[in-house]
Amino acid sequence: MDIFDFSDGREGYYGEYGGVFLPEILHSTIEELLACFRECKADPKFWKDYVTLLQNYSGRPTPITHLENLSRQLGGAQIYVKRDDLNHTGSHKVNNVMGQGLLCQRLGKRRVIAETGAGQHGFATATMAAKFGYDCRIYMGAVDVARQRPNVFWMENLGAEVIAVEDGQKTLKDAVNEAMRDWVTNMADTHYILGTACGPHPFPEMVSWFQSIIGIEAREQMLKQVGRLPDRVYACVGGGSNAMGIFQGFFDDDNIELIGCEAGGHGVGSYMHSARLAYDDASVGVAQGYKTYFLQNDQGNMNETHSVAAGLDYIGINPIFSYLWEQGKVRFEAATDSEVKEALKLTMRTEGLIPALESTHGFVTAIKEAPSMRKDEIILINQSGRGDKDIFTIADALDDSKWKSFIGGKADQYRSEPD
Amino acid sequence: MGLQAYIEKRKKDKELLVMAHVVCGYPSFSDNMKELEIMSATGVDIVELQFPFSEPSADGPLFVKANEESLKSGTTVDQCFDFMKQVSERFSFKVLMMGYYNTAFRMGEELFVKRIKEAGGSGYILPDLPVEESSNLHAISEREGIEPIILMTPTSSDKRLAKLGEASRGMVYAVARKGVTGSKTNMSDDVIQLVKRCRQHTSVPIGVGFGISSKADMDFLRGSADLAIVGTAALKIWEESREDGLTKFFEELMA
Ligand SMILES: Cc1ncc(COP(=O)(O)O)c(C=O)c1O
């Protein structure tokens, strides 16, 4: 299956989803980007340079780890984890960012902008910009700035300017709007590094292409290390880039089930979640440059979303997934905030792994389903990122008193320092 | 009378027409009505009523706030259409719907066009709907006599302008510069050149918008554009000095 073969259909469409819905002023910029992307995708040297860069800079290929303790404890399927948390900057976001960084060189632009939710994409973009010598500005919702301070700290120290967006819900979607506003103004010298497989064509295809490195590696590693392919593959889905990345390695295997795990927030019926496909609350709409399922009201205005994981707290989903979901190719489930906290504790204690809150959504669903699977069946989870960045949120969730007194002590120390 | 005929007729008495803008429900519908009364009294020719949207990514800070506050106070699409009907019945200027495509998409394109027609509107401006995605909506509009306002921009190639020109009906909205609504445009020869390029590809009247805020801008556009489109500047004045300020603003603009 090549979902990116548009020869029988409309370019940039996956079924009825996708497309380009942008102001006319950006038309020539998007055309320029599309032409450059087509050139890169057709050039084997580009991909080779990309892989080499990630090997030498980010530690790829990331390994696959067998979670023997957890598998034994659950008593069902054998659980393996693809370790994209071991990338430089701590998540899969760096794959896409390095790819777009190389592409930006071909575009000849000297400034990059990005939106960020959890801050992982912003962190990766700031890192790439430092390495490639681009000016860099990151837009981040003010709520996310507050909950992901460690990433903001790194972005700023890497030389990026971080703008806290005060509009709307002050989260990821508002950061996207603000990045678009920058882009319609500065497109002549600026490339917009969109962080997930959403937005106008060619972003869903382009981001998926760069992230496909996860699935290509994982497939090879499973065959080599385990001797066979997994039965089920789980990945968390915010916009959908890490999930697209790993799933692409298994699209042509009819007997492998692919499961996207969305943010269930406070659960079904709460209207405080970001589950577009797993719950019934989303409908098809057009916003932020593309057509897909959005969490919106009947007037077409977006609803408030929520997740303990900032990187999943988003209104829309990758248009490719809307299509694959309708076709029955990908199943969608949701994990609630409280399930995520429990799964994180379990994973830390049994395996010594600290997945990011985002990635932990994939663990929740896998942990729920593993016990009812046979012992010779195999589960693969994509650990898209590591949880270090979430220390403040996790410490709050665990109500860790020693951490609180440490922070209190630090605060006293800063307050007593002369200005 | 269609938009083009209306503009051509009004142009017999004045060289440069004015199109103004309000965001429905911001600060309130009653404030909107007061603004529109002033616009009517000072001779504004066309008004765009913006239906608020939660993701106004083509708008600058003041309109972003206006969209957000209006939705927060509970503004609905139904209210906007009701308001459009009141406005078109009460005033003689032409009325356009302005907003984002999702508003039309969610209610269905057929119903969207019918409701504009029922509310006495002449057309609509949907800045995030590219011409490639418009064929169905344009066909419905043609049938119902409602006009889709096409945007032409400084980054549009000649080939692109030709395509846009083919789809243009009623009038064209020429975007004076890159960027979002709100900030000031430095009126330069580039704007005149843009209007010239647009004219090569369309025979409908051309309005120039984005950052128009003064009599000097009007003087600059006279003889080049058919309409000056005033958005953020008027809202800013309304927020600062209400009726007196807005009356003075439009009087000076038209002088
Ligand atoms: C670690 C991690 N995983 C997943 C995501 C969600 O994005 P996507 O669905 O594009 O993979 C994020 C986003 O910030 C992230 O930081």
Side-chain angles (χ1 to χ4, degrees), chain B residues 225-239:
Chain B
D226 302 300
L227 296 104
I229 304 171
V230 183
T232 307
L235 179 55
K236 210 180 205 162
I237 297 284
W238 178 260
E239 300 222 295

Side-chain angles (χ1 to χ4, degrees), chain B residues 45-86:
Chain B
D45 303 280
I46 304 176
V47 166
E48 28 173 340
L49 301 180
Q50 180 165 6
F51 287 30
F53 181 50
S54 59
E55 317 304 316
S57 49
D59 279 299
L62 188 59
F63 280 168
V64 170
K65 184 180 100 181
N67 276 267
E68 199 176 317
E69 294 293 323
S70 176
L71 289 174
K72 232 184 243 167
S73 70
T75 300
T76 63
V77 172
D78 282 349
Q79 286 174 343
C80 294
F81 277 120
D82 287 349
F83 186 67
M84 182 182 262
K85 192 165 168 65
Q86 285 175 44

Side-chain angles (χ1 to χ4, degrees), chain B residues 116-130:
Chain B
I116 293 179
K117 192 173 172 178
E118 278 163 21
S122 303
Y124 54 86
I125 306 172
L126 300 170
D128 63 338
L129 182 67

Side-chain angles (χ1 to χ4, degrees), chain B residues 36-44 91 93:
Chain B
L36 291 165
E37 266 159 21
I38 291 165
M39 290 169 186
S40 170
T42 51
V44 165
F91 301 110
F93 50 60

Side-chain angles (χ1 to χ4, degrees), chain A residues 90-93 116-121 172 195-197 236-243 310-312 356 358-359 384-386 389:
Chain A
S91 82
H92 72 292
K93 296 285 179 191
T116 196
Q120 289 300 111
H121 175 58
L172 185 54
T196 188
C236 69
V237 179
S241 70
N242 86 88
L312 306 186
E358 288 79 10
S359 321
S384 55
R386 59 176 179 242
K389 70 177 170 68

Side-chain angles (χ1 to χ4, degrees), chain A residues 151-225:
Chain A
N151 280 337
V152 177
F153 171 84
W154 287 123
M155 286 184 256
E156 288 180 343
N157 280 283
L158 286 158
E161 186 186 357
V162 180
I163 307 288
V165 179
E166 299 283 354
D167 305 321
Q169 200 187 315
K170 308 185 192 350
T171 57
L172 185 54
K173 74 174 180 65
D174 309 292
V176 171
N177 290 334
E178 207 53 28
M180 300 252 230
R181 291 182 190 115
D182 184 316
W183 205 27
V184 300
T185 312
N186 301 307
M187 68 287 226
D189 72 344
T190 299
H191 174 56
Y192 177 16
I193 306 207
L194 223 153
T196 188
C198 290
H201 183 64
F203 282 107
E205 179 184 352
M206 182 165 72
V207 176
S208 298
W209 187 53
F210 289 131
Q211 295 295 2
S212 71
I213 193 166
I214 305 173
I216 292 171
E217 287 176 8
R219 186 189 176 85
E220 255 180 51
Q221 289 166 320
M222 288 303 293
L223 289 172
K224 209 159 142 193
Q225 200 173 317

Side-chain angles (χ1 to χ4, degrees), chain A residues 10 13 16 19-28 166-168 170 173-174 177 180-181 184-188 283-288 291 296-302 315, chain B residues 52-60 64 68 71 75-78 101-103 105-107 127-133 151-156 160 164 175 177-180:
Chain A
R10 285 191 292 166
Y13 269 90
E16 63 166 301
V20 178
F21 293 86
L22 286 178
E24 185 58 34
I25 193 101
L26 278 172
H27 179 81
S28 54
E166 299 283 354
D167 305 321
K170 308 185 192 350
K173 74 174 180 65
D174 309 292
N177 290 334
M180 300 252 230
R181 291 182 190 115
V184 300
T185 312
N186 301 307
M187 68 287 226
S283 53
V284 181
V286 176
Q288 304 202 316
K291 185 188 287 185
Q296 59 179 337
N297 64 20
D298 59 359
Q299 314 248 311
N301 288 308
M302 299 301 139
I315 48 174
Chain B
F53 181 50
S54 59
E55 317 304 316
S57 49
D59 279 299
V64 170
E68 199 176 317
L71 289 174
T75 300
T76 63
V77 172
D78 282 349
Y101 176 55
N102 205 34
T103 304
F105 179 77
R106 284 304 297 160
M107 78 173 65
D128 63 338
L129 182 67
V131 64
E132 286 76 14
E133 299 286 350
L151 282 84
M152 293 185 174
T153 78
T155 60
S156 309
R160 184 72 183 165
L164 298 172
V175 177
R177 57 160 168 77
K178 296 171 189 170
V180 290

Side-chain angles (χ1 to χ4, degrees), chain A residues 1 84 119 127 163 198 219 234 236 258 292 338 393 403 414:
Chain A
M1 167 176 72
D84 255 54
T127 302
I163 307 288
C198 290
R219 186 189 176 85
Y234 298 82
C236 69
L258 307 173
T292 194
S338 54
T393 315
W403 173 259
Y414 290 143

